[in-house]
Amino acid sequence: MPAWGEIVVLAAGAPVTTPRDAARDAARDELVNADYHRHDPSIQQRIFDWIMERVDDALGALAGGGTSGTTGLVLFLVVAAVIGAALWWRLGAPRRAARTDLGVFGGTGPRSAAEHRADAERHAAAGRWAEAVREQMRALVRGLEERTLLDPRPGRTADEAAAEAGRALPGHAAALTAAARTFDDIAYGERTADQAAYQLLRDLDRALERTRPVLAPAAGGAA
């Protein structure tokens, strides 16, 4: 009779004994088979279940289940902080549901592209990157207006300016869209401005100055 942990298999009438270590390895390999774990909860579900267990513990402590009210309150605040961090990690920073969009130029009066560029450089030199980004985007849009690639229009948003300018400068359409998104994210507080964001807009502004527009064909079909 085989010792514990051994497996006896009859093959062609002859007993075959599997050593204990080999049997253990075979069992382990079988148990890690993916077919046995297809219905296991996901990592997100396990995290959620763990958080809910902590919430139940904290609520039980607040109800006086053998813990002082102060300790229960501390536990509840800790769990609330963990839940907030988990939601932030899972969903990202909350975006503003509604915002007042005053356009690229906001409430500023009419100024030239050169004036906006000078202000952007001054803000950048002082490390005020949010102000530098805003002024540089205004310089970019005003420069396109001065070249008549955009018609001057109060209240135009960065996205609208990028879409309209992209039709005249198709080689820079993607860069214009990215610049408008960067401007919006920084202008409305959803992203922290930095030197890289300012440099992106400044380099694009300079590239646009050197780019000739693509003219639309005449109405009669002539080039």
Side-chain angles (χ1 to χ4, degrees), residues 12-71:
V16 177
T17 302
T18 303
R20 180 182 303 171
D21 292 341
R24 184 180 61 248
D25 293 342
R28 183 178 61 246
D29 293 342
E30 180 66 19
L31 290 175
V32 299
N33 192 315
D35 291 338
Y36 294 111
H37 304 280
R38 284 181 296 180
H39 302 293
D40 288 355
S42 64
I43 294 177
Q44 290 86 349
Q45 184 63 44
R46 290 199 292 270
I47 292 174
F48 178 79
D49 292 342
W50 180 87
I51 291 174
M52 294 309 298
E53 290 176 2
R54 302 290 79 74
V55 170
D56 289 340
D57 293 344
L59 292 177
L62 284 176
T67 307
S68 68
T70 301
T71 303

Side-chain angles (χ1 to χ4, degrees), residues 99-208:
R99 64 192 187 188
T100 301
D101 199 335
L102 299 177
V104 175
F105 297 102
T108 62
R111 306 180 66 203
S112 68
E115 289 174 319
H116 285 299
R117 291 186 184 108
D119 285 347
E121 291 177 0
R122 185 171 64 254
H123 288 309
R128 297 188 294 268
W129 301 115
E131 293 86 346
V133 166
R134 284 194 288 266
E135 287 301 319
Q136 185 58 60
M137 187 66 186
R138 290 165 181 166
L140 187 154
V141 175
R142 185 68 78 202
L144 295 173
E145 291 178 349
E146 291 174 353
R147 294 174 61 190
T148 68
L149 297 180
L150 293 177
D151 60 300
R153 189 173 76 244
R156 176 190 277 118
T157 66
D159 291 331
E160 292 171 344
E164 295 170 21
R167 289 191 286 270
L169 303 167
H172 295 285
L176 284 162
T177 300
R181 186 178 300 113
T182 297
F183 173 83
D184 286 342
D185 289 347
I186 291 172
Y188 298 105
E190 296 168 0
R191 172 182 167 185
T192 301
D194 54 20
Q195 183 176 1
Y198 165 71
Q199 190 72 41
L200 172 72
L201 293 176
R202 190 182 69 169
D203 292 346
L204 178 59
D205 185 24
R206 292 179 176 176
L208 295 179

Side-chain angles (χ1 to χ4, degrees), residues 70-91:
T70 301
T71 303
L73 178 60
V74 171
L75 288 174
F76 181 80
L77 293 177
V78 170
V79 171
V82 170
I83 293 174
L87 291 174
W88 188 284
W89 169 74
R90 185 70 180 86
L91 303 176

Side-chain angles (χ1 to χ4, degrees), residues 215-223:
L215 301 179

